[in-house]
Amino acid sequence: MDEPVGPDPAPTPAEPDRPDPEASTNPPEPAVDTATTPPPEIPSPAPPAPLRTHGRRIGPPSPRAALVIAGAVVLFAILYLGRSALGPFVVGLVLAYLLDIPVERMARVGLPRWVSVLIVYAVFVVVVVQALLIVLRPLGTELATFIREFPSFTAQVADMYAHLDLPPALRNAVDTWLTDLGQGVGGLNPTDLLPVVTGIAGIVSSIIGYIIIPVWIFYLIKDRPALTAAAERSMPAEWHPDARAVSFLALRVFGQWLRGQLFLGLTVGAATFVGLLLLSVTVDPVFGRFAILLSIIAGVLELLPIIGPIIAAIPAVLLALTGGIDAAVAAVVLYTVIQQLENNLLVPKIQGDAVELHPSAVMLALVIGGAIAGLLGAILALPVAAAGRDVFRYLFHRLDEPPATPAEAIAMIRARPMVVATEPAESVDAASAEAVES
């Protein structure tokens, strides 16, 4: 049975609107025409700050790595004790570096490495022999002339010194020095000859060393890839990127220094030869009689930065004094002009910033290198100091917080910071990354 349907409930009265207190105090906002008013500008987000990839910090050495480091220290100590016999091998390393470049290119073509070495050896020997045949005969003639006329040169210089108008104090100092020098030669003690005997023995050992150097270079170039792989296998795997980066930095400095010195030596020698020939025509014939000897001295001493050109100018000025004061002044002007052109035009273009050091650091390195290893140490002091600077900067960036990757550390070094910087590099040099990863 259907239930009865009751009537609908009465509707409740609507609640009256309560006034808004804010609406009562604030006037109504005017209507905005969205068709004509541009939308409000939304501020663009600030660009993110450049981030440096967090590299893996150089970890503490494992027992195997500690053994390798100890072996390297012992080897370095042995080499230092026998440094007097290392001269031929240092020269051999330089030649190996130069000859390895064409050998590597020929090996990439497909030639066996030992065949490439033999071809490069043959070409090198032919070039050296032809250069010696061209230079040795006139050089020998000039040396013989210089030795024969040396007494007359010294007599002319002494006569010129006697007629110079020098202050009495300066003349007395020079006379005293010459007198002491003569007495020292006249009163020679037989025990003073011991260094001479030792030097002769060292020359004999050096000759033997230079005889075996060609064979040593042959095996060094032929087996260089195998030697490099063996050196990497002796290190922990996590050290490989850092070892490659350090070797890249050292070879970069050494390569730029060696290429620059070879070019500068040839350029300075040729410029000195041409300048002396011009002075022999315009000033005095004595310059032309010893042009080859003086130009070779200038080219070889170019290996010594700063002091090398000064030493090379001394024999030229002394020889020019036999022709008068005007000839000596002309020699000084010639060598000064060549040196200034070299420093301001050639050196920045050829060597770049790889071996750029402050002059005070260069002179300090020359003195220390000469004290450790004589003339050869003074010659190699500049690239060794420059390579040590770059390795220090690399390790500084690798030990930074956060540590830079090997590629980033090399990129920051190649950016030539005047001081060791801690800012992150904006981009990684592709060549640096390739050098580390290869």
Side-chain angles (χ1 to χ4, degrees):
M1 184 175 179
D2 295 335
E3 296 180 359
V5 179
D8 292 336
T12 58
E15 186 178 4
D17 294 336
R18 296 181 180 178
D20 189 357
E22 296 182 358
S24 61
T25 56
N26 297 333
E29 296 182 357
V32 179
D33 188 0
T34 57
T36 59
T37 304
E41 295 182 359
I42 301 176
S44 59
L51 299 177
R52 181 169 62 186
T53 306
H54 291 190
R56 178 181 296 178
R57 187 185 298 277
I58 301 176
S62 62
R64 181 182 177 186
L67 177 62
V68 173
I69 295 174
V73 171
V74 172
L75 179 61
F76 178 79
I78 294 174
L79 293 177
Y80 178 77
L81 294 176
R83 63 188 181 277
S84 59
L86 294 180
F89 294 95
V90 174
V91 176
L93 285 176
V94 174
L95 292 177
Y97 177 82
L98 293 175
L99 299 180
D100 185 66
I101 298 175
V103 168
E104 191 68 28
R105 293 180 179 177
M106 295 172 68
R108 290 177 181 175
V109 175
L111 286 177
R113 196 168 182 87
W114 65 271
V115 175
S116 304
V117 175
L118 290 179
I119 294 175
V120 172
Y121 257 50
V123 174
F124 178 74
V125 170
V126 170
V127 172
V128 171
V129 169
Q130 292 299 320
L132 292 177
L133 291 177
I134 295 174
V135 175
L136 277 184
R137 179 170 295 179
L139 179 61
T141 303
E142 291 187 4
L143 280 174
T145 303
F146 178 78
I147 295 173
R148 184 176 62 252
E149 299 183 3
F150 182 75
S152 63
F153 289 156
T154 55
Q156 293 180 24
V157 174
D159 182 69
M160 183 175 298
Y161 166 72
H163 291 84
L164 284 178
D165 187 13
L166 296 177
L170 179 59
R171 184 176 294 276
N172 291 335
V174 175
D175 292 341
T176 302
W177 177 77
L178 293 175
T179 302
D180 294 340
L181 181 62
Q183 290 177 355
V185 174
L188 184 64
N189 192 335
T191 58
D192 296 336
L193 296 177
L194 182 60
V196 178
V197 177
T198 306
I200 293 175
I203 292 174
V204 173
S205 63
S206 297
I207 292 174
I208 297 175
Y210 282 112
I211 291 175
I212 67 174
I213 281 300
V215 181
W216 183 71
I217 295 176
F218 174 82
Y219 284 107
L220 189 64
I221 298 177
K222 183 178 75 70
D223 298 330
R224 185 190 60 79
L227 294 174
T228 303
E232 286 193 354
R233 286 195 301 269
S234 64
M235 305 178 197
E238 60 269 16
W239 285 22
H240 289 178
D242 292 301
R244 291 168 186 161
V246 170
S247 63
F248 166 76
L249 291 174
L251 289 177
R252 171 177 172 262
V253 171
F254 182 75
Q256 289 196 14
W257 172 82
L258 185 58
R259 290 190 297 269
Q261 291 304 122
L262 290 176
F263 183 81
L264 290 176
L266 293 174
T267 304
V268 170
T272 304
F273 179 75
V274 173
L276 292 174
L277 290 182
L278 292 176
L279 292 182
S280 67
V281 176
T282 58
V283 180
D284 195 280
V286 70
F287 293 107
R289 295 170 59 191
F290 302 100
I292 295 179
L293 176 61
L294 295 176
S295 59
I296 290 179
I297 292 175
V300 171
L301 289 179
E302 187 62 29
L303 293 172
L304 292 175
I306 298 178
I307 65 173
I310 298 175
I311 299 174
I314 292 176
V317 174
L318 293 178
L319 286 174
L321 283 174
T322 62
I325 299 297
D326 295 339
V329 173
V332 172
V333 171
L334 172 65
Y335 277 80
T336 303
V337 169
I338 293 176
Q339 181 64 18
Q340 292 301 315
L341 291 176
E342 174 205 355
N343 290 336
N344 295 292
L345 296 180
L346 297 180
V347 172
K349 299 293 184 181
I350 297 172
Q351 290 187 342
D353 64 315
V355 291
E356 183 179 353
L357 291 172
H358 193 271
S360 61
V362 171
M363 290 185 282
L364 180 62
L366 288 176
V367 173
I368 296 177
I372 294 175
L375 179 61
L376 191 60
I379 292 174
L380 297 176
L382 181 59
V384 170
R389 172 205 61 192
D390 285 353
V391 171
F392 171 80
R393 289 178 174 175
Y394 173 82
L395 294 177
F396 184 90
H397 293 305
R398 289 287 287 126
L399 297 174
D400 198 1
E401 185 61 42
T405 63
E408 288 174 336
I410 292 181
M412 286 186 280
I413 292 172
R414 298 184 70 174
R416 290 187 60 192
M418 297 305 295
V419 295
V420 179
T422 57
E423 288 81 3
E426 294 183 359
S427 61
V428 178
D429 192 284
S432 305
E434 181 182 358
V436 175
E437 296 172 359
S438 61

